[in-house]
Amino acid sequence: MEQRNRCTLNPTSNQTFEIVGRGEFDFTAILKHSYELQEQDHDIEAACNERFHAFQRIVEVIPEDEDIILEWEHTNTRAALEVIYASAIDHFLINDFEMAAGMFEMLLDLDPEDHTGCITTLAFCYVAMEEYELFEEISNDISDKAPEKHLLQMWLEFRRTGQIPDGEFRLLSFKHRLFFEEFRAAEHPVDDEYLQGLEAEPPTRQAQARQLWLQTENLWALHTDFITALREK
């Protein structure tokens, strides 16, 4: 009863649900505080723990036997979805791909429109776990125009065969040259040029390429053979 008093799942006219809560169910405040811990106090562990505990409370709120779609336009509900995304990224970055994938899958069930754009990172999880059939199920939802699509296809084929496919290699090198060069580079500094490029509107392609490397760097630390093959091909 105490939980119900602090949190309710309210239906909307859009056939979605809003999470209305206070205290430990005020996900807007929790998410903000977690980022303050991370950015101002540099306490990454505390920030990750706060997000994961909030995720656990979201799981308690969502009925297991119903198909629930959460309302993105509602502030606290959007924050709840962003908490799931952020905690999944936390797990991805420490190479807990199974947990991250499960959280991303839950997120897509709750937000089929994928407002957080989690499907690409889920695809990286699937390839990392060698869940190639699951990757194939979602790969069509990743734009063919995205450099991540070509990178994923190359990495998947390399994990399967030990060879980088020529077609995807050419597509990445010709259509997304800056991304191609970034992933073959020896260094990826987080310098003023990169930060200024990220802050530009829109961000520069060079900054986006480096951001993608940095967001997936943990994968390449585990799978140095792929990056070596990419550089030598």
Side-chain angles (χ1 to χ4, degrees):
M1 289 298 295
E2 184 181 0
Q3 174 176 313
R4 291 178 181 176
N5 289 336
R6 288 179 294 171
C7 182
T8 57
L9 197 61
N10 293 347
T12 74
S13 59
N14 297 327
Q15 296 183 321
T16 58
F17 290 83
E18 297 173 348
I19 300 176
V20 179
R22 55 191 175 85
E24 61 184 6
F25 295 96
D26 182 350
F27 296 111
T28 304
I30 291 166
L31 188 64
K32 179 182 178 182
H33 183 245
S34 77
Y35 286 132
E36 289 172 349
L37 286 170
Q38 182 171 321
E39 295 167 8
Q40 297 178 16
D41 299 341
H42 305 291
D43 194 341
I44 295 175
E45 182 178 359
C48 292
N49 286 337
E50 182 151 341
R51 290 190 284 265
F52 184 62
H53 293 153
F55 163 74
Q56 291 176 312
R57 291 193 293 276
I58 294 168
V59 172
E60 295 174 4
V61 170
I62 305 299
E64 294 183 5
D65 55 349
E66 296 181 39
D67 292 331
I68 299 292
I69 296 177
L70 295 182
E71 178 54 58
W72 178 256
E73 298 303 325
H74 180 255
T75 301
N76 195 56
T77 311
R78 179 187 299 190
L81 292 167
E82 290 173 338
V83 162
I84 300 173
Y85 175 79
S87 190
I89 291 293
D90 292 338
H91 285 81
F92 173 79
L93 292 175
I94 61 171
N95 303 328
D96 189 351
F97 303 120
E98 186 172 352
M99 175 64 82
M103 297 169 82
F104 286 134
E105 289 165 352
M106 175 185 174
L107 183 56
L108 287 171
D109 287 339
L110 297 173
D111 177 33
E113 293 187 25
D114 191 18
H115 289 92
T116 60
C118 75
I119 198 161
T120 302
T121 313
L122 175 58
F124 278 113
C125 289
Y126 284 157
V127 179
M129 296 188 297
E130 299 183 307
E131 293 285 359
Y132 302 138
E133 290 185 5
L134 293 175
F135 171 83
E136 297 295 345
E137 289 178 9
I138 67 169
S139 63
N140 287 337
D141 294 324
I142 302 172
S143 172
D144 291 336
K145 297 179 180 179
E148 294 93 330
K149 182 70 168 284
H150 304 302
L151 186 66
L152 279 160
Q153 295 284 11
M154 278 196 296
W155 186 36
L156 181 146
E157 195 62 27
F158 181 80
R159 297 212 71 190
R160 279 175 165 167
T161 68
Q163 302 293 323
I164 291 178
D166 291 337
E168 294 295 340
F169 182 86
R170 286 195 298 270
L171 284 170
L172 186 68
S173 62
F174 287 121
K175 295 177 68 174
H176 305 284
R177 186 74 189 179
L178 292 175
F179 288 80
F180 174 77
E181 292 175 350
E182 186 68 38
F183 273 74
R184 285 162 55 98
E187 297 181 352
H188 313 270
V190 181
D191 52 19
D192 289 342
E193 182 181 358
Y194 166 66
L195 295 174
Q196 290 170 5
L198 272 187
E199 292 172 357
E201 190 58 46
T204 65
R205 292 289 283 174
Q206 179 67 63
Q208 290 177 36
R210 184 156 305 167
Q211 183 181 47
L212 178 59
W213 168 272
L214 295 171
Q215 289 172 339
T216 56
E217 187 174 12
N218 59 303
L219 293 174
W220 318 129
L222 288 176
H223 301 281
T224 56
D225 55 345
F226 172 67
I227 298 300
T228 298
L230 188 62
R231 289 169 178 165
E232 292 178 350
K233 184 174 173 62

